[in-house]
Amino acid sequence: MGKATGFLEFERQHETYEAPLARVKHYKEFVHALSDENAKIQGARCMDCGIPFCNNGCPVNNIIPDFNDLVFQQNWKSAIEVLHSTNNFPEFTGRICPAPCETACTLGINDDPVGIKSIEHAIIDKAWAEGWVAPLPSKHKTGKKVAVVGSGPAGLAAAQQLARAGHDVTVFEKNDRIGGLLRYGIPDFKLEKWLIDRRMRQMEAEGVAFRTNVFIGKEPLPGHIANSSRETISPDELREQFDAVVIAGGSETPRDLPVPGREMQGIHYAMEFLPLQNKVNAGDTVVDQLIAKGKHVVVIGGGDTGSDCVGTSNRHGAKSVTQFELLSQPPETENKPLVWPYWPIKLRTSSSHEEGCERDWSVATKRFEGKNGKVEKLIAVRVEWKDGKMQEVAGSEFEMKADLVLLAMGFTQPASPVLEAFGVDKDTRGNVKASTEGEKAYFTSVPKVFTAGDMRRGQSLVVWAIREGRQCARSVDAFLMGSSELPR
């Protein structure tokens, strides 16, 4: 390493944030990337640890020690080449990835880990600013045509890799803009959408064609973004027109809460709430947008989607925001000797929580109550977990004001009409059944049809979607050409 004793000399460098009271007044990003000097110090902390567990902690297997060292040397151009060799979209992961690489950092055993995510963020932002991110079109065309269904991170990664291998790639997206859940699931204050548009322009220059407002299969389940102008194409038509098809949609079937009063007005899935604000931010006119202004908002579900609902509600001007989680409150710090280098269960406070939110754990919702068909409160009870089983705490029932209830309890599977239309085999969880190993990696049970991302593995991280999209692209390329030189 460039600074062998850096981990002894320097403390972790933290990205700076706009103050909560200021940032809740807008929907722009508020995290400021490290300066060149602070990124250099951060890179200097990377140890010459012998076995870089961070590489395996990262789902795309970023070559982390190498680009850390290059940033320490201020060799930014080589750093982006190393980063792009494993990750198609570091501007996404550098902003929204929870950084499992950092939990696997050897320095993290007894100190603050290296801020790998902040280095990645700094590298890609500088690369774009300096003009180092250019289209990489294939010099030779194969004459093969590939359809990619879904334009989230898995679909985009697969499409870019396949286009660079020389195939003619068309990406189909059911919504009016490219990006999938990057576009209509993640708030703009975490990921501004011009970042997606910029990558899309690069991919178009590489030969990728994008078709929006096209649904492959049957129309989606109720609760998805309405679009009367959407075109529908059958999977059979797609298989006839293309040499291979990759289905790479998101896991979009939300987990419901079947309790008395669920049918009342004012109770919505998170994905009925969040995408509408994305569309407003994009300049669209949205009729009957769900607004939290002046309301007592209760978010049920303690994960990232719930946190996004909190941040959006705060920006709307909610009167109060409360977030419930069914599970017990995690410990504030993990038992590192027990869990390292794996992802630890510990209390995590997001930037949205810091903006204003009451959080409560071990809470189960019993029913909703209200007047004239509109929710006004929820009745909940405290629970305890014994031997992995949940039981209610006697006498613990309480009520909470609730004008707007947002269900953010995760997603169970991809939209089933899509899978039924393709006729693919499904696993026990309702996802597309496909292996990730061997000659048939990412093959579905239907000839010429491949799958990757949430549609195969279930609800997961953007970085896992990118990994699967890249690996799936290699399998498709080998299927079409007999072998592949794409990296796995």
Side-chain angles (χ1 to χ4, degrees):
M1 303 306 296
K3 185 70 172 175
T5 58
F7 71 97
L8 298 172
E9 301 175 30
F10 305 116
E11 295 182 350
R12 179 183 170 108
Q13 303 296 299
H14 293 277
E15 293 177 319
T16 57
Y17 294 73
E18 186 178 353
L21 289 178
R23 68 189 189 228
V24 295
K25 297 178 182 178
H26 64 78
Y27 292 89
K28 299 292 186 182
E29 291 181 12
F30 52 82
V31 180
H32 306 301
L34 295 178
S35 66
D36 288 6
E37 182 58 31
N38 284 342
K40 177 178 180 177
I41 294 173
Q42 188 86 284
R45 297 185 72 241
C46 186
M47 304 170 67
D48 189 7
C49 58
I51 300 176
F53 288 89
C54 55
N55 288 8
N56 286 331
C58 172
V60 293
N61 302 125
N62 278 336
I63 311 170
I64 294 166
D66 293 45
F67 67 63
N68 283 349
D69 186 46
L70 289 166
V71 168
F72 170 73
Q73 298 174 28
Q74 298 291 277
N75 187 348
W76 293 91
K77 194 168 185 179
S78 294
I80 187 58
E81 291 173 359
V82 171
L83 180 53
H84 264 152
S85 71
T86 56
N87 186 351
N88 294 68
F89 314 121
E91 65 269 46
F92 304 157
T93 53
R95 286 169 165 81
I96 60 177
C97 183
C101 56
E102 294 186 15
T103 65
C105 175
T106 304
L107 183 57
I109 294 174
N110 62 351
D111 199 349
D112 290 332
V114 177
I116 300 165
K117 178 180 174 181
S118 65
I119 292 177
E120 182 175 337
H121 185 183
I123 292 171
I124 186 58
D125 279 10
K126 176 174 275 293
W128 278 109
E130 296 292 336
W132 298 332
V133 185
L136 298 173
S138 174
K139 295 179 180 179
H140 305 284
K141 286 291 187 178
T142 65
K144 301 292 186 179
K145 297 169 61 180
V146 182
V148 176
V149 179
S151 68
L156 291 178
Q160 185 166 61
Q161 293 296 96
L162 288 165
R164 289 175 175 178
H167 306 303
D168 292 322
V169 182
T170 302
V171 176
F172 294 88
E173 169 57 50
K174 69 178 182 296
N175 292 318
D176 57 351
R177 295 181 177 90
I178 293 298
L181 293 176
L182 288 171
R183 173 82 64 178
Y184 288 129
I186 296 173
D188 292 65
F189 55 80
K190 290 174 66 176
L191 180 73
E192 292 185 27
K193 307 316 174 194
W194 61 268
L195 295 162
I196 303 172
D197 297 333
R198 184 173 61 182
R199 272 295 176 184
M200 191 175 75
R201 290 192 293 271
Q202 181 204 29
M203 291 175 65
E204 286 175 329
E206 294 173 344
V208 178
F210 293 98
R211 291 184 59 184
T212 57
N213 291 330
V214 180
F215 192 83
I216 309 299
K218 301 175 183 177
E219 272 297 309
L221 297 172
H224 289 73
I225 300 174
N227 187 343
S228 59
S229 64
R230 180 180 288 133
E231 177 187 359
T232 300
I233 299 177
S234 74
D236 287 342
E237 292 177 83
L238 215 60
R239 291 175 61 203
E240 289 175 3
Q241 297 170 17
F242 292 87
D243 299 293
V245 178
V246 176
I247 51 175
S251 184
E252 296 183 270
T253 304
R255 184 172 285 108
D256 204 353
L257 184 61
V259 298
R262 167 65 179 89
E263 74 285 352
M264 288 186 173
Q265 297 178 30
I267 304 171
H268 300 273
Y269 294 120
M271 290 303 293
E272 294 176 312
F273 174 70
L274 294 173
L276 298 181
Q277 187 59 55
N278 292 132
K279 293 179 74 68
V280 169
N281 293 343
D284 294 351
T285 299
V286 176
V287 179
D288 297 328
Q289 182 188 359
L290 297 176
I291 297 291
K293 184 176 181 180
K295 296 179 180 179
H296 296 287
V297 178
V298 177
V299 179
I300 300 178
D304 288 340
T305 303
S307 172
D308 294 343
C309 290
V310 170
T312 302
S313 297
N314 282 327
R315 283 160 177 76
H316 283 184
K319 185 177 292 184
S320 69
V321 182
T322 304
Q323 185 176 23
F324 288 149
E325 169 57 59
L326 184 66
L327 300 176
S328 304
Q329 181 174 346
E332 292 191 10
T333 57
E334 72 272 31
N335 185 340
K336 287 186 178 181
L338 178 65
V339 300
W340 181 89
Y342 301 107
W343 184 255
I345 296 176
K346 68 175 183 178
L347 181 63
R348 302 176 194 277
T349 299
S350 73
S351 58
S352 292
H353 295 140
E354 293 170 349
E355 294 162 2
C357 175
E358 293 295 325
R359 305 165 73 186
D360 205 349
W361 290 265
S362 300
V363 174
T365 302
K366 297 286 289 181
R367 63 187 182 277
F368 299 104
E369 295 181 358
K371 295 179 181 177
N372 302 318
K374 183 168 176 50
V375 69
E376 292 183 342
K377 62 183 178 181
L378 63 78
I379 310 302
V381 65
R382 301 205 172 273
V383 298
E384 57 184 3
W385 295 82
K386 292 184 178 179
D387 299 324
K389 296 181 179 180
M390 182 187 76
Q391 59 186 41
E392 296 182 8
V393 176
S396 65
E397 190 171 286
F398 65 98
E399 66 178 49
M400 172 75 63
K401 286 185 178 180
D403 305 310
L404 177 61
V405 178
L406 300 172
L407 306 181
M409 302 174 294
F411 302 86
T412 59
Q413 62 186 55
S416 56
V418 180
L419 307 191
E420 291 167 5
F422 273 96
V424 295
D425 289 346
K426 294 183 282 188
D427 63 19
T428 55
R429 297 182 300 159
N431 301 316
V432 183
K433 188 175 182 180
S435 172
T436 61
E437 302 295 336
E439 294 182 357
K440 295 290 185 179
Y442 298 96
F443 280 60
T444 72
S445 58
V446 176
K448 294 172 47 174
V449 178
F450 299 75
T451 189
D454 286 6
M455 199 160 263
R456 191 205 67 82
R457 65 180 288 115
Q459 178 188 1
S460 192
L461 305 177
V462 167
V463 67
W464 271 107
I466 294 172
R467 171 197 173 107
E468 294 219 345
R470 288 171 61 88
Q471 292 188 344
C472 180
R474 179 181 171 87
S475 287
V476 173
D477 187 36
F479 166 75
L480 294 174
M481 307 304 296
S483 62
S484 178
E485 294 182 359
L486 288 175
R488 192 173 191 277

